[in-house]
Amino acid sequence: MALLTILQYPDPRLHKVAKPVTEVDDRIRQLVKDMAETMYDAPGIGLAATQVDVHEQVIVMDLSETRDELRVFINPKIVWRSDEQKVYEEGCLSVPGIYDEVERADRVRVEALNEKGEKFVIDADDLLAVCIQHEMDHLKGRVFVEYLSPLKRNRIKAKMKKQAERA
């Protein structure tokens, strides 16, 4: 396994749209392992392949306190979302130290493949629903700060550029 480099906003590669995985093979399974190791090390609760400059539809997440309930979503599709919306404070490994409120569907139903290439369907609510929508946005080339006002987004962009210059 290997730690991968997480792209930092406003890196333009974060805006690339991920392509579907054509075959869940050893390369994809290795990517999943590397992404999981990277997410746990960061530490975070979710990571999309786009964030590590791999533009394929792969997401890993683990919302457990014990960090031993890895979930893998390959080629995820939201097939239903509730009309009810909920506001959660979100953060992102690609935008470290920045947290803000984002409104999303309260519940979603997602179809995806697991790391064995098997199809599954999951109904998600609360933090799991938020995390799925947040990570799926990455696969579409969208970062959570894009839900914020232009003023907030520009401040965050300036702050992130300053941090990158100092690093």
Side-chain angles (χ1 to χ4, degrees):
M1 294 201 290
L3 287 178
L4 305 171
T5 301
I6 298 172
L7 300 177
Q8 302 290 299
Y9 181 79
D11 191 309
R13 294 172 289 179
L14 288 169
H15 298 293
K16 278 187 170 179
V17 175
K19 295 189 177 354
V21 171
T22 54
E23 182 185 359
V24 180
D25 56 13
D26 288 342
R27 180 184 68 82
I28 293 296
R29 283 186 280 278
Q30 186 60 52
L31 174 63
V32 165
K33 287 178 187 170
D34 292 345
M35 285 174 61
E37 183 180 0
T38 302
M39 175 190 70
Y40 288 131
D41 183 71
I45 61 171
L47 187 67
T50 301
Q51 293 175 271
V52 293
D53 203 21
V54 176
H55 303 283
E56 293 180 87
Q57 294 178 8
V58 179
I59 292 169
V60 296
M61 65 181 69
D62 187 340
L63 309 184
S64 70
E65 292 290 323
T66 50
R67 313 295 278 153
D68 61 357
E69 295 176 24
L70 183 69
R71 296 174 188 257
V72 177
F73 298 81
I74 298 170
N75 298 341
K77 286 188 186 83
I78 294 177
V79 294
W80 175 84
R81 64 181 76 227
S82 65
D83 290 334
E84 304 90 55
Q85 301 280 300
K86 200 161 194 178
V87 174
Y88 276 89
E89 185 175 75
E90 295 187 24
C92 181
L93 294 176
S94 290
V95 196
I98 304 294
Y99 300 90
D100 214 316
E101 293 184 339
V102 177
E103 186 177 51
R104 297 188 186 271
D106 185 38
R107 297 184 320 279
V108 293
R109 178 172 297 133
V110 179
E111 287 179 359
L113 301 175
N114 64 20
E115 65 274 19
K116 295 174 188 161
E118 301 162 339
K119 184 178 176 182
F120 69 93
V121 178
I122 184 172
D123 288 323
D125 60 6
D126 298 322
L127 183 57
L128 180 58
V130 169
C131 195
I132 288 169
Q133 293 172 86
H134 175 110
E135 299 306 335
M136 285 184 69
D137 274 353
H138 280 298
L139 300 181
K140 297 175 199 152
R142 190 167 190 189
V143 181
F144 91 97
V145 296
E146 292 167 41
Y147 287 94
L148 307 178
S149 71
L151 178 64
K152 277 187 177 181
R153 197 169 46 248
N154 287 333
R155 283 184 179 158
I156 291 167
K157 198 179 284 188
K159 182 177 181 178
M160 297 301 296
K161 283 181 178 175
K162 255 187 205 164
Q163 285 177 358
E165 288 167 8
R166 279 188 250 138

